[in-house]
Amino acid sequence: MRTISFKISDAELEVMRILWREKQAVTFSDIRTELSDKMSWEKSTIATLLRRLQKKGAISIQEKEVHYYMPNITKEEYIMFRKKSLIDKFFDGSAKSFVAALCQNGELTEADIDELKKYFRMGDENK
């Protein structure tokens, strides 16, 4: 797994969601069409977001007749980076404290907790 050292803004995340969803390189035109409809963003805004993502190393550009964009990181890799960052920042690196906070604040239903118990038991079997 790659080491990620950059954060993706909420606006940049909208671009990344498109790239992660597609299983092939995506044209600027396709990205623009979707984000113009969904977010009402102008061409220049989308171009700026793509430049920022490229500068961070989150995406690559294939230059042919038109530009094709593809992610350099997977959604799962980015989620793992952000999860670790969140737990380190707010819970002193303790995943247990993070899960406890979810339980204490009513974020998890009883069904969620039961499902997590099964998951934890499966993890014990793999040790």
Side-chain angles (χ1 to χ4, degrees), residues 6-9 11-13 15-16 19 48-60 72:
F6 53 84
K7 290 183 182 172
I8 296 173
S9 72
E12 293 165 345
L13 194 55
V15 174
M16 292 302 293
L19 299 178
T48 297
L49 294 171
L50 287 164
R51 275 193 307 275
R52 287 182 189 165
L53 287 166
Q54 183 187 20
K55 187 175 180 181
K56 290 177 180 182
I59 66 170
S60 295
N72 290 337

Side-chain angles (χ1 to χ4, degrees), residues 69-98:
Y69 298 87
M70 63 226 113
N72 290 337
I73 60 170
T74 66
K75 182 178 180 180
E76 293 74 21
E77 288 171 328
Y78 192 67
I79 288 170
M80 292 298 292
F81 164 71
R82 289 305 306 225
K83 178 191 71 162
K84 181 172 177 4
S85 175
L86 173 77
I87 291 171
D88 287 348
K89 185 175 186 176
F90 293 107
F91 299 96
D92 296 323
S94 170
K96 181 178 87 172
S97 295
F98 172 68

